[in-house]
Amino acid sequence: MVQIEKILDEAIKRDASDIHLICGIKPMLRIIRDLVPVEDADVLVEDDMTEIYDYFIRGNIERDRIYDETRKIDMSYEYGNIRLRINVSSEEDIPIFTLRLIKNTLPPYESLGIPEVVRKMLDQPQGLMLVTGKTNSGKTTTLNALINEINEKMNKKILTLENPVEYRHKCKNSIIVQKEIGNGKDATSFSSGVKNSLREDCDIVVIGEIRDKETMDAAIETAESGHLVIGTLHTKSCAETLDRIIDFYEVRDQASIKFLIGSLLKMVLSQRLIKGIDGSLILVPEVMVVDNIISGLIRKEKLANSEVEDAIQSGSEKGNISLINSLAKLFVDDRITLEQAKAQIEEKNVEILNRTIMQLKIKKDRLI
C-alpha cells in the first residue's frame, strides 16, 4: 500500500517544488531543478496508481467523468498548510500524477529579484502587462507577488482568473476576487471570465494564462475600456511574446492588432530561473518597456525580433533590461558561472555578453 501522506510530508520537509508519481519508478521530488527519489518509498505499481487516483479524486463524480472522457484533469488540493496543483494524465491507460506544491505564504517581494521598474509599472491606470517564460520559470510566483504588492499598497478591486487557483490572497487595502476556470467552476473559460469582468467594476484583471485568440481579444477589449490587465504567456523572450500575440490572428487582421498592441502594451517581463552557484534558484529577467521606439517597431509591417532585442539592449535608461545585461550582472556579482550565462544565449551574442561583462567589471571596480 502506497503511503501518500508520507510522500507529501517528505516533499514539504525537503522544500520540493513538485512531486512526480509514475508507475514503475519510485516517487520523485523536484528539488531546485533536480529530480530526487524518495528513498524510503517503494517502486510504484499499478494498484498504487489506482489508490493515489482514489485518494485525490475522493469520489468526485464530475472529476472522474472528465478524466474518463479526456484522460487528463487539473485540480487543486489542500494538505495541511500546503496547496497542491495536481495534473492527472495517463501512460498506457494507467494514471500518472504531477503535483506542484504551493506555499500559503509568499516570499518577500524584494527576495524574488523582480526589477524595480516592474513594481513602478503597477501604477499604470490602464493597459496590458505580460509576465512570460517557459514552464517552471516562476511566472505564478511573480504574478502573485505583484498581486500582493497591489493589495498591500493600493486601493483597487482585483479580479484573478486561474486554473486552478493556487495562492489564496486575503483582502488588505484592495478587494481581491479569485475565480477558478473550468467546467463547473467560477468561469468556463479565461475569455468568458475576462469578458464578464467588464460588468464587475474591476480596476485590475489578472489572467492566469493567455493561450488563445479569444482570451487575447478579451484582454485587449478590457485594457481598451480603462482597466489594467496583467497576464501570462508561455514564451521565452520579450520579442517572442510579440510574435505569439500576432500569430493568434489571421494575416488580414494583423495590422490592426499591431496598432492596438503598440498602444495598449505597457511592459513585458520575460523571466527564467537558473540554479546559482550557491545552489538556490535565481531569477533572470528580461524587461521590455513599450516606449515610442518599441511601439513603432510593433506596428511595422514586418516585425523583426533582432530590432526589438536591439531596442531593449540600448534602452536601459527607460527601464529596459536585456537578457544579456541580466546574465552579465549575475556573473559579475558571482551568482552564476560564465558557462551558465553563455548557455542562456545564442552563439552570435557571446561577444556582446563578454563586452557587457567587461563594462560592468570596470564600473564595479570604479565604485570600490
Side-chain angles (χ1 to χ4, degrees):
M1 178 180 291
V2 62
Q3 295 180 295
I4 303 169
E5 294 185 354
K6 185 176 179 181
I7 296 169
L8 296 176
D9 289 337
E10 179 72 7
I12 294 168
K13 177 183 175 182
R14 301 184 67 179
D15 199 23
S17 61
D18 300 87
I19 306 171
H20 297 272
L21 304 173
I22 300 170
C23 189
I25 62 172
K26 287 188 174 189
M28 302 291 288
L29 308 180
R30 190 176 291 279
I31 302 173
I32 314 181
R33 290 299 169 88
D34 293 331
L35 289 169
V36 181
V38 179
E39 293 295 348
D40 293 340
D42 295 326
V43 170
L44 296 169
V45 298
E46 188 171 345
D47 286 346
D48 294 330
M49 308 315 292
T50 302
E51 184 181 339
I52 295 169
Y53 180 87
D54 291 339
Y55 179 89
F56 288 119
I57 295 296
R58 293 186 177 267
N60 187 302
I61 296 172
E62 178 63 15
R63 286 179 177 173
D64 193 42
R65 181 190 65 78
I66 292 171
Y67 178 76
D68 282 343
E69 290 178 358
T70 66
R71 278 297 180 262
K72 60 185 171 73
I73 187 171
D74 292 302
M75 69 182 88
S76 57
Y77 183 80
E78 292 194 13
Y79 178 75
N81 66 341
I82 296 290
R83 287 175 61 81
L84 301 171
R85 185 182 75 193
I86 302 173
N87 174 265
V88 189
S89 58
S90 70
E91 180 185 38
E92 296 183 343
D93 208 32
I94 299 171
I96 62 175
F97 303 81
T98 306
L99 284 58
R100 170 65 54 85
L101 281 72
I102 301 150
K103 299 174 183 176
N104 282 336
T105 55
L106 282 170
Y109 186 93
E110 290 74 17
S111 71
L112 295 175
I114 302 171
E116 180 61 24
V117 66
V118 179
R119 190 202 303 249
K120 291 178 179 177
M121 197 60 64
L122 297 175
D123 291 329
Q124 292 284 332
Q126 71 177 93
L128 181 61
M129 286 178 60
L130 297 173
V131 178
T132 76
K134 293 183 176 181
T135 303
N136 295 332
S137 61
K139 295 189 300 297
T140 299
T141 300
T142 295
L143 207 61
N144 281 297
L146 295 177
I147 293 168
N148 189 58
E149 188 73 5
I150 297 167
N151 190 21
E152 288 187 343
K153 298 183 177 179
M154 302 182 192
N155 182 234
K156 305 284 186 180
K157 181 179 180 183
I158 308 164
L159 170 67
T160 77
L161 302 164
E162 305 168 68
N163 181 25
V165 172
E166 296 190 1
Y167 179 83
R168 280 286 181 187
H169 293 269
K170 294 180 180 179
C171 298
K172 297 175 185 176
N173 287 324
S174 292
I175 297 172
I176 300 183
V177 177
Q178 294 180 264
K179 295 190 177 186
E180 191 157 316
I181 304 299
N183 291 330
K185 303 295 183 180
D186 304 308
T188 56
S189 67
F190 283 105
S191 58
S192 66
V194 178
K195 289 175 183 176
N196 198 66
S197 71
L198 295 171
R199 302 183 181 90
E200 297 185 53
D201 188 33
C202 301
D203 299 295
I204 299 170
V205 179
V206 180
I207 308 172
E209 185 180 349
I210 300 174
R211 61 177 70 161
D212 52 40
K213 176 181 177 295
E214 290 71 26
T215 307
M216 194 73 239
D217 281 339
I220 289 171
E221 181 184 357
T222 305
E224 273 191 299
S225 65
H227 301 76
L228 178 61
V229 179
I230 307 173
T232 74
L233 280 166
H234 287 290
T235 51
K236 67 179 182 180
S237 70
C238 295
E240 186 181 292
T241 299
L242 298 175
D243 280 341
R244 178 67 57 83
I245 293 171
I246 294 165
D247 285 346
F248 282 142
Y249 297 88
E250 298 289 340
V251 174
R252 64 176 180 271
D253 299 323
Q254 288 182 357
S256 59
I257 288 302
K258 286 178 180 180
F259 181 83
L260 285 171
I261 294 301
S263 301
L264 296 171
L265 186 62
K266 303 301 179 184
M267 168 183 282
V268 178
L269 165 63
S270 181
Q271 61 182 56
R272 308 175 186 206
L273 284 178
I274 60 177
K275 188 188 290 188
I277 291 173
D278 65 357
S280 65
L281 289 177
I282 297 174
L283 182 76
V284 184
E286 179 189 25
V287 178
M288 180 180 73
V289 178
V290 182
D291 58 7
N292 290 335
I293 293 173
I294 291 178
S295 179
L297 293 175
I298 293 171
R299 292 170 176 167
K300 287 179 67 174
E301 183 177 351
K302 184 171 178 58
L303 177 65
N305 285 359
S306 60
E307 291 183 343
V308 174
E309 291 166 358
D310 289 344
I312 295 171
Q313 182 75 24
S314 61
S316 58
E317 74 283 352
K318 298 171 184 176
N320 290 331
I321 303 173
S322 71
L323 175 62
I324 288 174
N325 274 75
S326 286
L327 293 167
K329 187 174 189 308
L330 289 170
F331 172 69
V332 170
D333 291 343
D334 295 322
R335 301 189 67 193
I336 63 173
T337 66
L338 184 58
E339 289 70 26
Q340 284 180 302
K342 289 180 178 179
Q344 297 295 319
I345 60 175
E346 297 179 25
E347 183 67 28
K348 65 181 181 180
N349 291 324
V350 170
E351 185 179 341
I352 301 173
L353 173 66
N354 290 332
R355 189 163 61 245
T356 305
I357 287 171
M358 288 300 298
Q359 291 169 349
L360 289 177
K361 282 185 174 181
I362 292 169
K363 184 177 180 180
K364 186 175 182 179
D365 289 343
R366 285 174 178 169
L367 293 174
I368 294 175

